[in-house]
Amino acid sequence: MADDKGNPHLDGFKVGLIIPSLNTTTEPEFAWIAPPRISFHAARVFMDVTTAEALRTMNAEVHRASELLATLSPDVVAYACTSGSFVDGPTGTKQLVEGIASIVKCPVVATSVAMIAALQHLGVRRCALATPYPRDITEQERQFLVKNGLEVVSTVCLEKSGAAIRQTPRDQVEALIRSADRPSAEAIFASCTDLRALEVVDRLERELGKPILTSNQVTLWAVLKSLNVGTSIRGFGRLLSGGSRGEILDVAL
């Protein structure tokens, strides 16, 4: 991100990203809303379909991606893939994060861990889950949430796979999130770092009266916390603005 003088902040924080090869959403969203003096540097791991087998095959490449990122001496590394980081449950996630950390020698963020931390930060106990994934991957995410102490009051999914996820139009993303909402849900999590949900978060929060979290939003939040950078980013939901669960912010994009 450059400031008004064209400074690219080459002396700022360096954030390494491990992202699925087909993802075209995470990097633009981070560059769009991240504070100044933070640069993002990605290594890609191969993924073409959203199946448990493909996700595990992708995870086998994370070791090499970590080695590549280690050479840039990052301040933090984020594995920005929700399904890849929950596919083997909490134990598998812990092992994955520890494996990355042993190579990059800096704090490591995984999207599924950031998801849990963000919900806990907002005091959420009961959540709704909206995903673009097939039903079996959605069920794995539901189980991941439950195993981390959350009650999932509803799950909805689009049953999409691979590159079809990022092609989901804005109105369908909005409809997906609305369809997950229940009166008992204290927050709604819209999953997948390649789903363009960040663009609709603020307006839907005001409409539905509760936090809307997205994969890229919680990942960036966790990255900023790891860097000890304050989160006061307005227009993209209460989590990044620093607001509480009960606070409705009147912010227009």
Side-chain angles (χ1 to χ4, degrees), residues 124-144:
V124 173
R125 295 168 297 171
R126 297 182 299 277
C127 68
L129 176 62
T131 91
Y133 311 133
R135 291 188 182 277
D136 61 329
I137 303 300
T138 301
E139 173 59 18
Q140 287 182 300
E141 184 166 14
R142 186 195 69 81
Q143 291 178 17
F144 185 87

Side-chain angles (χ1 to χ4, degrees), residues 105-178:
K105 310 299 183 185
C106 68
V108 174
V109 168
T111 300
S112 62
V113 177
M115 168 181 68
I116 300 299
L119 290 166
Q120 292 174 341
H121 174 78
L122 293 174
V124 173
R125 295 168 297 171
R126 297 182 299 277
C127 68
L129 176 62
T131 91
Y133 311 133
R135 291 188 182 277
D136 61 329
I137 303 300
T138 301
E139 173 59 18
Q140 287 182 300
E141 184 166 14
R142 186 195 69 81
Q143 291 178 17
F144 185 87
L145 287 159
V146 170
K147 288 176 181 177
N148 278 282
L150 289 148
E151 180 183 349
V152 182
V153 300
S154 71
T155 60
V156 295
C157 64
L158 295 177
E159 299 191 69
K160 293 188 176 187
S161 176
I165 289 174
R166 70 168 177 267
Q167 297 165 0
T168 306
R170 180 173 178 151
D171 59 348
Q172 192 173 12
V173 174
E174 291 182 355
L176 172 71
I177 294 170
R178 288 191 187 98

Side-chain angles (χ1 to χ4, degrees), residues 17-243:
L17 300 177
I18 301 173
I19 60 176
S21 58
L22 52 68
N23 184 309
T24 64
T25 303
T26 298
E27 293 154 298
E29 288 192 344
F30 282 9
W32 180 27
I33 70 170
R37 294 177 296 282
I38 300 175
S39 58
F40 299 94
H41 311 271
R44 293 178 177 264
V45 284
F46 183 78
M47 178 185 177
D48 59 350
V49 293
T50 311
T51 65
E53 180 182 5
L55 291 169
R56 293 187 177 106
T57 299
M58 176 180 67
N59 284 346
E61 296 187 12
V62 166
H63 180 95
R64 181 54 178 162
S66 301
E67 291 178 330
L68 294 173
L69 292 176
T71 65
L72 62 89
S73 301
D75 295 289
V76 62
V77 166
Y79 184 25
C81 180
T82 325
S83 53
S85 61
F86 70 63
V87 67
D88 286 318
T91 299
T93 301
K94 183 174 184 291
Q95 292 173 346
L96 189 63
V97 170
E98 289 176 349
I100 297 170
S102 70
I103 298 169
V104 298
K105 310 299 183 185
C106 68
V108 174
V109 168
T111 300
S112 62
V113 177
M115 168 181 68
I116 300 299
L119 290 166
Q120 292 174 341
H121 174 78
L122 293 174
V124 173
R125 295 168 297 171
R126 297 182 299 277
C127 68
L129 176 62
T131 91
Y133 311 133
R135 291 188 182 277
D136 61 329
I137 303 300
T138 301
E139 173 59 18
Q140 287 182 300
E141 184 166 14
R142 186 195 69 81
Q143 291 178 17
F144 185 87
L145 287 159
V146 170
K147 288 176 181 177
N148 278 282
L150 289 148
E151 180 183 349
V152 182
V153 300
S154 71
T155 60
V156 295
C157 64
L158 295 177
E159 299 191 69
K160 293 188 176 187
S161 176
I165 289 174
R166 70 168 177 267
Q167 297 165 0
T168 306
R170 180 173 178 151
D171 59 348
Q172 192 173 12
V173 174
E174 291 182 355
L176 172 71
I177 294 170
R178 288 191 187 98
S179 68
D181 190 26
R182 300 290 185 276
S184 59
E186 297 169 331
I188 303 169
F189 185 75
S191 191
C192 189
T193 57
D194 209 18
L195 183 72
R196 292 179 57 176
L198 186 63
E199 301 165 40
V200 306
V201 162
D202 206 61
R203 185 163 59 80
L204 286 181
E205 279 199 352
R206 285 180 277 135
E207 175 186 323
L208 301 176
K210 61 190 63 175
I212 312 295
L213 305 181
T214 82
S215 291
N216 286 333
Q217 178 208 57
V218 301
T219 304
L220 180 59
W221 172 79
V223 164
L224 297 178
K225 282 179 65 68
S226 294
L227 295 173
N228 292 315
V229 173
T231 56
S232 184
I233 303 171
R234 296 264 172 158
F236 302 97
R238 268 164 277 176
L239 180 70
L240 288 177
S241 73

